[in-house]
């Protein structure tokens, strides 16, 4: 998966969320010469730069969280490589179901989780977040039923000290299913990407947390099926770029009020 290893391009220093908060909270100096005050063009340039740029939050390596396998299977035939801190889960499988077996289709389901605590809010405001979720399935097979799917769950809490992102409303429902019901046949290489974004209101001192769960599911019956190396799921920067991180941007209530976007009461 070449997207997993693409380097980040260095860029010029930008105005971060914290810089903007500091600028908004700095009281004016009445006796300063008017000639030294920033002009409108400079203010507009700084604001436009802030609007274009996001702060990067690295994610810990994904860890296996849940495995469901057919009854009687001692080890899961749907496997994942050792986790690396690059925002990706790599999977393989080699499945065979005898034609004379009686019973329903066989099903495998595996989930992996990564969670991160984000920087504390310096003042009341709103945290915006975004990232890209991608999947790739390299398959072949010949079976009565041989389908593979992927999913992404996201939970965000305002303050990790008082609530868990795993308890966030809607966490149990996938925010997207990058690939759904991909059929294993000769030389299948299916790929999909989705940009995911959201926001949450914060009070000064809150330390928000985000949890992301990646899932892979296989339904299979009567035949054979393989999930080849190169298959996997990943999280990375929205719009493409390096994997293993989400992008965040904090907007103080003063800025939200300026643009008519009501924050927390």
């Amino acid at each position: 998966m070449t997207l997993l290893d693409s380097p980040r391009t260095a860029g010029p220093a930008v105005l971060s969320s914290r810089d903007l908060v500091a600028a908004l909270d700095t009281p004016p100096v009445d006796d300063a010469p008017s000639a030294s005050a920033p002009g409108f063009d400079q203010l507009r340039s700084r604001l436009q730069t802030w609007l274009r740029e996001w702060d990067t939050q690295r994610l810990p390596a994904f860890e296996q969280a849940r495995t469901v396998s057919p009854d009687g299977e001692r080890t899961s035939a749907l496997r994942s490589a050792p986790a690396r801190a690059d925002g990706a889960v790599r999977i393989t499988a080699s499945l065979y179901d005898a034609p004379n077996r009686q019973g329903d289709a066989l099903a495998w389901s595996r989930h992996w989780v990564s969670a991160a605590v984000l920087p504390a809010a310096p003042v009341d405001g709103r945290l915006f977040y975004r990232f890209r979720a991608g999947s790739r399935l390299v398959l072949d097979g010949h079976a009565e039923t041989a389908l593979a799917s992927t999913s992404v769950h996201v939970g965000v809490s305002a303050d990790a000290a008082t609530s868990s992102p795993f308890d966030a409303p809607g966490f149990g429902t996938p925010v997207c299913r990058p690939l759904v019901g991909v059929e294993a046949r000769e030389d299948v290489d299916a790929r999909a990407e989705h940009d995911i974004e959201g926001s949450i209101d914060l009070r000064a001192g809150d330390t928000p947390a985000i949890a992301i769960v990646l899932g892979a599911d296989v339904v299979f019956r009567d035949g054979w099926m393989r999930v080849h190396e190169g298959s996997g799921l990943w999280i990375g920067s929205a719009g493409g770029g390096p994997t293993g991180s989400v992008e965040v941007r904090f907007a103080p209530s003063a800025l939200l009020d300026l643009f008519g976007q009501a924050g927390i009461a």
Side-chain angles (χ1 to χ4, degrees):
M1 299 172 67
T2 56
L3 284 173
L4 302 180
D5 302 315
S6 56
R8 177 177 289 277
T9 303
V14 298
L15 187 67
S16 69
S17 301
R18 292 181 177 276
D19 294 332
L20 181 64
V21 173
L24 289 172
D25 287 346
T26 302
V29 181
D30 293 335
D31 58 354
S34 59
S36 65
F40 177 76
D41 286 344
Q42 182 181 357
L43 178 61
R44 180 178 61 183
S45 176
R46 293 174 114 188
L47 186 57
Q48 287 176 336
T49 299
W50 179 79
L51 289 171
R52 287 193 303 267
E53 302 296 335
W54 292 66
D55 299 326
T56 299
Q57 173 67 48
R58 297 292 299 177
L59 292 173
F62 278 88
E63 299 179 359
Q64 185 175 325
R66 176 176 174 269
T67 297
V68 177
S69 302
D71 293 339
E73 186 186 43
R74 292 186 178 181
T75 60
S76 177
L78 178 61
R79 303 180 181 89
S80 59
R84 288 158 39 184
D86 61 358
V89 173
R90 297 162 176 82
I91 59 176
T92 58
S94 182
L95 311 176
Y96 174 74
D97 183 30
N100 58 358
R101 183 186 66 85
Q102 301 297 316
D104 298 331
L106 304 174
W108 287 261
S109 181
R110 299 194 77 175
H111 292 83
W112 301 265
V113 62
S114 179
V117 177
L118 307 176
V123 296
D124 290 357
R126 184 177 300 159
L127 178 75
F128 296 85
Y129 61 88
R130 69 178 189 179
F131 57 91
R132 175 164 290 188
S135 297
R136 182 187 183 192
L137 293 174
V138 184
L139 311 172
D140 71 342
H142 183 78
E144 177 185 301
T145 302
L147 303 173
S149 303
T150 62
S151 61
V152 182
H153 296 249
V154 179
V156 181
S157 64
D159 190 4
T162 60
S163 60
S164 167
F166 299 104
D167 296 327
F171 179 72
T173 302
V175 295
C176 71
R177 297 181 183 273
L179 294 171
V180 179
V182 180
E183 184 178 2
R185 56 186 189 278
E186 186 177 358
D187 296 330
V188 173
D189 190 342
R191 310 182 191 211
E193 298 178 354
H194 289 268
D195 285 341
I196 298 168
E197 61 181 22
S199 65
I200 187 169
D201 288 330
L202 304 177
R203 294 195 179 275
D206 283 351
T207 52
I210 184 170
I212 302 174
V213 174
L214 302 178
D217 300 279
V218 173
V219 178
F220 170 69
R221 175 184 171 85
D222 188 4
W224 62 271
M225 173 181 178
R226 286 192 293 263
V227 181
H228 294 282
E229 290 188 5
S231 300
L233 307 89
W234 56 268
I235 297 296
S237 302
T243 59
S245 63
V246 298
E247 295 172 299
V248 296
R249 179 161 55 201
F250 179 78
S253 293
L255 182 64
L256 298 174
D257 292 343
L258 181 64
F259 291 101
Q261 297 291 320
I264 54 179

